């Protein structure tokens, strides 16, 4: 027993008790005849006092403590003279009678404070020290709580958590697999799952009508800033359900999490089709914390002599409420913003609706006041508002306008991280055409069911077929997505055809699933949530890395343990593989 | 909405309700003008009746249903004439008014019954059908419940579930690693964790003083019947604790599980040293549901002219209560049992204590009644008991006697799967000498702390050093094991020396841990439970495979998905590896 209490729990009621604490030295302060020690553990910080006059040796020992030393303190809880309202234990302190150094510490390479002086790389290398900082601790505690409450909700709703294998089979569809050479079967490989998709569908065939798993998934992709080669999903599947059943169940889950973990009653979910989301917000994950929907202005703007508009596939505007006072400089910066290579617009047209009802536009020479009034009318712009317009090829212009809308949301303070605007986006297209490979790809995955009423189009106009697929979006972040699956072997087989699988390939890769569908597969569907991202949105930040205890960097490397690394020739030999010399 | 109720919930109270069920056709029976259908889902079976006179077409359709068809039935709940007490829904049946076939089924390759006609291999290949059987469903439901209650208990005790990475670094210590070639860093490899050992210790250094994780682990070992290349652990670690704290906390966990999941109040845990366990039961995981401890008889049996005993290092007996009536044939079979190659004894000596107080032994010609009486005295054998004796080299003889004791426990019905005898085995040796490599191996792992009072022996008599290591054993099964860890960098360094690591190797493999120990590592320790095995012991059977949804066979192969398998040359190329042609 190293302690009777933790460093976060002593209160005014404990005064007079003899206690033992253990923890890390946050700091020591010498104040004349007194030395104060802030002792820290996971639960908080408690002040310990050493009195030079009462026990000079003990006080001397305390003065010698370095930052991050691990110590044990015995003493009595006394009332503090000047209370600290900022910490829970601020009403008391410990009058130390014994001090034991449990372990010394070298000076850490960066400070263990909320705001540290350590750079990204240094903190990744010493992740075990970075994790001592309160913001990261809060993140991991939040993540734990989210995982626990997810399980509690799903358990109450009779979902079973069933573990599926990590050593599975490589399938070329989708992203790249990580593979694992087999020692017992040289020349053969397992693959790490990109998701337990086929296994959870098999579990539906097996009659486990409500499955979930909080499960690691693996994708060997070139990493972007917010991707990790391993990530965690809340993976769920239900049988004997249609789309509404799935939506209701998981809207319920997220509502439960917001209530239990953040104490927030989530507003009602909006439901929007993919087509609508793209048309109104240029994104399949619109941030609905604010309005500013797209308004298409082709009719109002074309054939008026302005070549840029006339040549455009789409002329589209947004109305920034109350932003008519934007200066020339601000407007120039917005133009620079949309012209950044990542966004790629050629230019930006604005039209201010002045307080006196007149208009001031960057294209005044092509459009008179009446013409501009017709824009304002179509866009429901009021005096004081700023209309921003982009034009060009439809799809690209929508994407650009999406970026601009989000930027305006930021500039006008409309994206409060403490507001939450939940949304279902539904009716995704089943397929998307890939120019490079000249074939269809599955927009969601090859197991997604076409809408019943579109089944006939599969043969004639596959690109027009919508899917029973849905995404849950909150504040512009896709939290999860799923679909009703195909459970008919013939339709599944046709899907594989459409996706360009030969019969042989389909059989080799998914034969077990097609086989399973022959033995009584029930209608089923499901969803998967990105757990890292869920934690990040609950934490109110963007970086999923701050919600993963031991993340990898953008090169897929763990800087702390220095992995990946070379392995011994013996090991390679046993596995029946050779490393190709890259100099050859 | 495919159903209003499930197939396990309708009762006499529901009579008169119009309901919809969906599920699988367990069987149909034609009884003159009536057809009965047993409809099955995860929750139970409900009888559906079709009346030829009321609706001939519907009845005809029902007759055409094959086994395992997926159907939806609408109808009214009515009282059953002859109630079935064996099922929960046995008081009612559904008078069908509508029948929809949701999916047809081919005839399954084996029957979906509690006792199936399918062989092991067939059932593994069609695991998705095997999983429909009730015994397997019960197992997976039990497993879910155990996982959930484990999390509930640990959450209540302020443990945080923290996910550690699966793509880590290969370490040659211990069993073989599975490795994962890196595409972004050709020639380098990740390894899959054999356990999150070093990460959980780092979390202790980070101040997360109560960590757990239900986590997959991987070992590339030649498989025995009860081993899987991937298995699940309940992995736990605590800081600022000594051994008693850990034992109390996890005795509490297992007590909680028995109470919540099985409704059983577990008896008090016995605590036994490793030395004692080996001496009294010849095993570090004795089954204490019954007594029959070893009694060493060297003094009573040697130098009496029986060469086998005289030449033996150890003569040891067990007393089988009430087994003096064993026939010659039974005794011969016991002799055959101990002489099996897997057990390896040369022979078995018995001595019956007859009801009249006389003795009958297989070595009568060397030992007179008085000598035999001294055996019985030492062993506290009573009239009616049977003494069984083995002799030989100490360690081997103890192992043999352990097998014999367990066999006798079986034969005498002393190993009731509904009894539970929990035990802590403590004070394991720190090291064991490996003759082959001529060096010490860590008995538990290289991070296990030597007993404080044995620290001095590390330099002089390392083989005499005991560790702060402990195993939890129930009914002869090791459920979990752990230790107090080293948190002092110097002792850890000395351990690596003792285990034959060069400084370079230690630094390369565990430098990050040794580094972490420099920055204030708290005293800490932990435990890990085999979750598959835990589920099996709760389920009352031995085969962990029956508690894993998708297990691999003894060759590490998943027969259902046919994995491992070859991968495309492109994939190999990208990974910078080559398969060595085994014909070269």
């Amino acid at each position: 027993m190293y302690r009777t209490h933790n460093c976060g729990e002593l209160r005014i009621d404990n005064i007079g008790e003899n206690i033992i604490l253990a923890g890390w030295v946050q700091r020591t302060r010498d104040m004349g005849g007194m030395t104060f020690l802030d002792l820290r553990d996971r639960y908080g910080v408690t002040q310990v006092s050493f009195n030079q006059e009462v026990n000079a040796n003990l006080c001397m020992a305390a003065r010698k403590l370095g930052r991050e030393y691990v110590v044990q303190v015995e003493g009595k809880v006394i009332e503090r003279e000047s209370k600290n309202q900022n910490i829970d234990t601020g009403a008391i302190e410990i009058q130390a009678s014994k001090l034991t150094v449990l372990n010394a510490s070298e000076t850490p390479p960066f400070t263990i404070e909320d705001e540290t002086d350590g750079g990204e790389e240094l903190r990744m290398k010493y992740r075990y020290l970075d994790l001592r900082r309160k913001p990261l601790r809060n993140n991991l505690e939040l993540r734990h709580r989210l995982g626990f409450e997810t399980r509690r909700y799903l358990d109450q709703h009779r979902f079973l958590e069933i573990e599926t294998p990590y050593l599975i089979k490589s399938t070329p569809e989708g992203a790249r697999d990580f593979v694992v050479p087999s020692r017992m079967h040289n020349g053969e490989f397992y693959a790490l799952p990109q998701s337990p998709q086929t296994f959870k569908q098999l579990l539906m065939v097996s009659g486990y009508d409500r499955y979930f798993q909080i499960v690691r998934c693996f994708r060997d992709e070139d990493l972007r800033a917010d991707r990790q080669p391993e990530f965690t999903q809340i993976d769920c599947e239900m049988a004997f359900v249609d789309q509404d059943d799935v939506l209701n169940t998981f809207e319920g889950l997220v509502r439960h999490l917001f209530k239990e973990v953040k104490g927030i009653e989530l507003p009602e979910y909006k439901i929007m089709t993919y087509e609508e989301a793209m048309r109104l917000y240029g994104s399949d994950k619109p941030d609905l914390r604010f309005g500013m929907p797209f308004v298409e202005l082709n009719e109002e703007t074309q054939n008026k002599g302005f070549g840029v508009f006339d040549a455009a596939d789409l002329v589209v505007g947004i109305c920034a409420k109350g932003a008519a006072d934007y200066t020339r400089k601000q407007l120039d910066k917005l133009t620079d913003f949309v012209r950044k290579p990542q966004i790629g617009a050629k230019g930006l047209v604005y039209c201010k609706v002045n307080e006196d009802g007149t208009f001031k536009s960057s294209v005044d020479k092509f459009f008179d006041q009446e013409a501009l009034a017709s824009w304002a009318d179509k866009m429901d712009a009021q005096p004081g508002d700023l209309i921003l317009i982009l034009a060009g090829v439809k799809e690209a212009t929508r994407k650009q306008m999406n970026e601009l809308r989000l930027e305006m949301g930021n500039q006008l303070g409309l994206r409060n991280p403490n507001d939450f605007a939940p949304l279902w986006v539904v009716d995704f297209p089943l397929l998307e055409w890939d120019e490079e490979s000249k074939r269809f790809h599955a927009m969601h995955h090859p197991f997604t069911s076409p809408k019943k009423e579109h089944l006939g189009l599969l043969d004639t106009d596959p690109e027009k077929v919508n899917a029973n697929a849905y995404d849950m979006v909150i504040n512009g972040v896709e939290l999860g997505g799923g679909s009703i699956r195909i459970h008919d072997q013939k339709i599944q087989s046709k899907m594989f055809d459409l996706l360009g699988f030969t019969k042989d390939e389909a059989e080799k890769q998914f034969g077990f699933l097609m086989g399973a569908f022959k033995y009584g597969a029930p209608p089923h569907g499901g969803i998967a949530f990105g757990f890292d991202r869920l934690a990040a949105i609950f934490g109110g930040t963007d970086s999923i890395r701050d919600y993963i205890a031991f993340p990898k960097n953008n090169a897929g490397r763990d800087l702390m343990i220095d992995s990946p690394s070379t392995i011994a020739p013996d090991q390679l030999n046993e596995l029946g593989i050779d490393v190709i010399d890259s100099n050859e």
Side-chain angles (χ1 to χ4, degrees), chain A residues 158-422:
Chain A
R158 301 191 78 157
F159 282 77
L160 295 175
E161 184 160 26
I162 299 176
E163 295 173 61
T164 54
Y166 280 119
L167 295 172
I168 65 163
K169 184 171 173 157
S170 190
T171 56
E173 180 70 7
R176 273 188 213 90
D177 288 322
F178 284 104
V179 298
V180 181
S182 164
R183 182 181 52 85
M184 294 172 92
H185 307 278
N186 275 187
E188 297 189 335
F189 294 78
Y190 302 99
L192 301 178
Q194 295 183 31
S195 89
Q197 182 63 33
T198 48
F199 289 96
K200 69 176 174 175
Q201 292 193 242
L202 289 175
L203 286 170
M204 295 305 108
V205 175
S206 297
Y208 295 77
D209 60 0
R210 296 182 161 213
Y211 145 93
F212 83 102
Q213 192 182 186
I214 300 186
V215 62
R216 204 70 53 85
C217 302
F218 304 85
R219 273 181 211 169
D220 186 10
E221 289 179 300
D222 299 315
L223 302 176
R224 297 198 308 244
D226 63 341
R227 285 278 175 97
Q228 289 280 318
E230 48 178 314
F231 55 97
T232 303
Q233 267 184 204
I234 306 172
D235 190 53
C236 309
E237 196 80 1
M238 306 172 78
F240 300 117
V241 289
D242 51 35
Q243 181 167 309
D244 277 353
D245 298 317
V246 180
L247 266 44
N248 287 334
T249 303
F250 292 98
E251 188 172 319
L253 167 63
V254 174
R255 195 173 287 290
H256 172 86
L257 294 178
F258 268 93
K259 188 157 185 194
E260 295 296 324
V261 178
K262 286 186 84 77
I264 286 175
E265 198 67 61
L266 210 57
E268 204 163 330
Y269 275 63
K270 289 210 169 63
I271 296 190
M272 192 178 286
T273 65
Y274 172 83
E275 190 276 326
E276 219 179 339
M278 296 308 290
R279 185 164 40 79
L280 292 178
Y281 301 99
S283 167
D284 59 1
K285 39 178 193 278
D287 184 346
L288 294 193
R289 279 175 295 184
F290 63 108
M292 219 185 283
F294 296 5
V295 178
E296 303 192 350
L297 296 168
N298 290 45
E299 205 175 307
E300 287 75 13
T301 59
Q302 291 184 323
N303 303 316
K304 304 276 157 75
F306 181 42
V308 173
F309 283 177
D310 289 351
D313 186 18
L314 175 71
V315 181
V316 64
I318 53 174
C319 174
K321 289 276 160 207
D325 57 357
Y326 259 46
T327 63
R328 181 59 183 262
K329 198 170 158 193
Q330 282 176 300
L331 290 165
D332 285 348
K333 276 185 92 168
L334 279 185
T335 305
D336 291 344
F337 174 83
V338 298
R339 292 168 97 167
K340 282 195 299 184
Q342 315 83 298
I343 299 187
K346 294 231 176 66
L348 174 66
V349 167
Y350 70 84
C351 173
K352 290 179 178 181
V353 187
N354 296 319
E355 293 294 350
D356 64 3
T358 63
F359 302 94
K360 168 76 192 114
S361 167
S362 53
V363 288
D364 279 345
K365 69 175 131 168
F366 300 102
F367 299 92
D368 59 18
Q369 291 285 311
E370 192 183 346
L372 297 176
S374 78
W375 301 3
D377 189 46
K378 178 81 174 274
M379 300 197 67
D380 201 19
Q382 305 301 321
D385 292 351
L386 171 69
I387 295 171
L388 297 168
I389 300 178
L390 295 174
V393 174
K394 190 195 278 180
E395 207 170 312
T397 305
R398 283 179 171 170
K399 275 176 91 165
Q400 293 154 9
M401 188 54 108
N402 169 49
E403 298 290 344
L404 179 61
R405 173 180 174 270
L406 294 176
E407 173 63 20
M408 288 310 296
N410 286 336
Q411 292 194 10
L412 300 177
L414 303 173
R415 303 180 75 193
N416 181 346
N418 296 316
D419 286 345
F420 295 94

Side-chain angles (χ1 to χ4, degrees), chain A residues 540-584:
Chain A
T541 62
D542 284 338
S543 164
I544 62 169
R545 207 177 285 180
D546 291 341
Y547 295 82
I548 298 172
F550 300 102
K552 294 181 179 56
N553 73 7
N554 284 349
R557 184 167 283 286
D558 185 325
L559 294 176
M560 182 185 69
I561 62 173
D562 189 26
S563 167
S565 59
T566 55
I567 60 174
D570 283 4
Q571 254 176 306
L572 290 172
N573 227 346
E574 277 200 314
L575 297 170
I577 59 171
D578 236 351
V579 169
I580 302 171
D581 189 337
S582 54
N583 296 326
E584 270 175 24

Side-chain angles (χ1 to χ4, degrees), chain A residues 24 40-44 137 141:
Chain A
W24 285 262
R40 185 196 73 231
D41 68 10
R42 178 184 138 201
Y43 309 92
R137 198 169 69 229
E141 288 185 354

Side-chain angles (χ1 to χ4, degrees), chain A residues 3-67:
Chain A
R3 57 185 174 185
T4 57
H5 294 75
N6 67 49
C7 295
E9 69 180 311
L10 292 170
R11 297 286 183 277
I12 207 101
D13 289 347
N14 300 100
I15 283 172
E17 290 178 25
N18 289 305
I19 57 88
I20 308 176
L21 297 182
W24 285 262
V25 174
Q26 181 71 35
R27 70 177 65 79
T28 56
R29 293 184 307 282
D30 294 332
M31 316 274 275
M34 298 290 289
T35 295
F36 295 100
L37 155 63
D38 283 352
L39 193 64
R40 185 196 73 231
D41 68 10
R42 178 184 138 201
Y43 309 92
V45 172
T46 299
Q47 177 166 296
V48 184
S49 63
F50 299 86
N51 191 324
Q52 174 83 41
E53 284 178 27
V54 175
N55 191 331
N57 285 342
L58 199 63
C59 194
M60 192 62 73
R63 284 178 191 195
K64 284 190 189 147
L65 296 174
R67 279 199 287 139

